[in-house]
Amino acid sequence: MGDKVLIQRAVVVGAGAIGGWLAAALHKAGAEVGLLARGATLQALQRHGLRLREGDKEVSLPLRASDQPTDLGQPDLVVLAVKAPALAAVAPQVRALLGPHTVVLTAMNGVPWWFLHGLDTPLRQHTLRSVDPTGAIAAAIPPERVIGGVVHASCSTDAPGIVRRHFGNKLIVGEPAGGSSPRLQALEALLQRSGLELETSSRIQRDIWFKLWGNMTMNPLSALTGATTDRILGDPDLRAMVSAVMLEARAVGEKIGLPIEQEPEDRHAVTLKLGAFKTSMLQDVEAGRPVELDALLGAVIELGQLTTTAMPFTRALMGLARVHAQTRGLY
């Protein structure tokens, strides 16, 4: 990509809670920001701009929004902030946004399609069928284009085009192959002006895996029970099940070079500090939106198969969550 990389123009794909939060941060950093959106969200963005609420403050940002990639050109940076179930349908539109040097920053939950790319493991050439069944996503958005991102922020949408940040303002970024690069340095230079709490990771898959270690249990169990995380961990039998799933996932992580030093109880203590927290998957179920089971659980089970790791508790949780979602038309 040459020696000198500049990131000045960005398009955010997925103008929901996280996408809107990141679009506002990029705008604050001085980038020219466009939004690829559709339906009621697109109409709201075109009429009122992107509205970001923090506490009792609201700002309105007049960002360009369209449902046509050709209207938004080929930017230096594409930020992918869609839910995993929507990615296969969106991938051709993302492909249309890619110029010769466009970088793709992923800001999504769970295991992404490029996760094994760059890892020092015999599995690094393997396509994760659980998240990219036909390989179409990797064909449209080659892993070589990607910089990985991990979001530590709680955001929601009050209405189409209106994003609320509750707490957390952190973004971790890193190259899938590890180390630094001119494009990563260019992204850092931009994001340092964004107001985000920015961290650069030397092994971004480790950060993705560590966040997943909590999400892969709390999200589906909250969707199943309708309960906030404090109530799930307050039940001794559910707490034991959560710990069992986490230990299975930790064993998989060790085999692919992503060890986790914590014990499940350490993570439970962190989760309980959030209080009566409603997970994103529970919010999706309540809103009738598809759930991200494949990225959060299916990919972990696939990695378990590839590393010959027994995962009875994880499989049981997947089966329960899958049938629950299927009966509601959400999977």
Side-chain angles (χ1 to χ4, degrees), residues 135-158:
I137 295 171
I141 315 166
E144 295 80 10
R145 294 276 192 161
V146 170
I147 288 178
V150 180
V151 169
H152 289 285
S154 174
C155 303
S156 62
T157 49
D158 287 358

Side-chain angles (χ1 to χ4, degrees), residues 1-122:
M1 289 196 171
D3 292 328
K4 184 64 175 174
V5 180
L6 283 176
I7 295 178
Q8 299 170 313
R9 296 176 56 244
V11 170
V12 176
V13 179
I18 297 301
W21 167 69
L22 287 171
L26 288 165
H27 175 77
K28 182 177 180 180
E32 179 188 327
V33 182
L35 293 158
L36 188 67
R38 61 183 182 177
T41 299
L42 176 60
Q43 292 175 359
L45 291 168
Q46 290 178 333
R47 192 170 298 131
H48 305 291
L50 173 70
R51 287 175 283 179
L52 177 67
R53 294 173 176 173
E54 297 177 289
D56 56 1
K57 296 178 181 176
E58 177 180 306
V59 294
S60 180
L61 308 174
L63 305 182
R64 186 174 188 182
S66 176
D67 58 359
Q68 298 297 320
T70 50
D71 291 343
L72 300 169
Q74 293 182 326
D76 307 309
L77 173 70
V78 169
V79 179
L80 261 184
V82 296
K83 296 276 188 178
L87 185 54
V90 158
Q93 291 184 297
V94 176
R95 179 71 189 91
L97 289 167
L98 301 183
H101 306 299
T102 305
V103 177
V104 178
L105 173 67
T106 55
M108 302 167 64
N109 270 336
V111 175
W113 78 98
W114 54 265
F115 187 73
L116 293 172
H117 179 76
L119 278 185
D120 185 16
T121 165

Side-chain angles (χ1 to χ4, degrees), residues 132-309:
D132 191 7
T134 66
I137 295 171
I141 315 166
E144 295 80 10
R145 294 276 192 161
V146 170
I147 288 178
V150 180
V151 169
H152 289 285
S154 174
C155 303
S156 62
T157 49
D158 287 358
I162 303 177
V163 173
R164 180 179 297 277
R165 184 176 73 86
H166 300 282
F167 59 85
N169 199 40
K170 184 176 181 179
L171 177 66
I172 307 173
V173 297
E175 285 281 2
S180 188
S181 67
R183 65 183 191 170
L184 181 60
Q185 291 166 8
L187 181 61
E188 287 178 277
L190 175 66
L191 292 173
Q192 280 164 357
R193 305 190 298 268
S194 68
L196 299 178
E197 182 187 340
L198 180 67
E199 181 180 316
T200 303
S201 173
S202 60
R203 174 48 69 209
I204 192 66
Q205 288 92 334
R206 187 180 296 123
D207 299 278
I208 291 171
W209 192 253
F210 187 65
K211 182 182 180 184
L212 175 71
W213 201 50
N215 280 354
M216 66 180 289
T217 53
M218 288 296 112
N219 268 287
L221 280 171
S222 66
L224 282 165
T225 61
T228 49
T229 53
D230 58 324
R231 294 189 64 187
I232 292 168
L233 290 175
D235 182 278
D237 293 323
L238 274 184
R239 189 176 183 129
M241 182 182 183
V242 169
S243 295
V245 172
M246 292 173 78
L247 289 173
E248 290 175 357
R250 191 173 72 175
V252 172
E254 287 172 1
K255 292 181 179 180
I256 59 174
L258 303 173
I260 291 173
E261 306 300 333
Q262 279 191 348
E263 297 299 323
E265 281 297 324
D266 299 327
R267 187 59 166 262
H268 300 341
V270 173
T271 303
L272 286 168
K273 288 179 182 176
L274 300 176
F277 181 67
K278 182 182 284 192
T279 70
S280 59
M281 193 175 289
L282 176 53
Q283 293 178 50
D284 287 341
V285 168
E286 291 177 346
R289 294 188 293 258
V291 292
E292 299 183 288
L293 288 177
D294 292 322
L296 290 178
L297 281 173
V300 179
I301 291 170
E302 183 177 354
L303 289 167
Q305 291 172 322
L306 291 167
T307 56
T308 60
T309 308

Side-chain angles (χ1 to χ4, degrees), residues 84-85 129-131 133 281 285 288-299 301 318-331:
R129 300 299 176 189
S130 46
V131 290
M281 193 175 289
V285 168
R289 294 188 293 258
V291 292
E292 299 183 288
L293 288 177
D294 292 322
L296 290 178
L297 281 173
I301 291 170
M318 178 65 173
L320 287 165
R322 179 171 53 227
V323 172
H324 172 267
Q326 285 171 338
T327 57
R328 287 158 179 76
L330 306 180
Y331 180 83

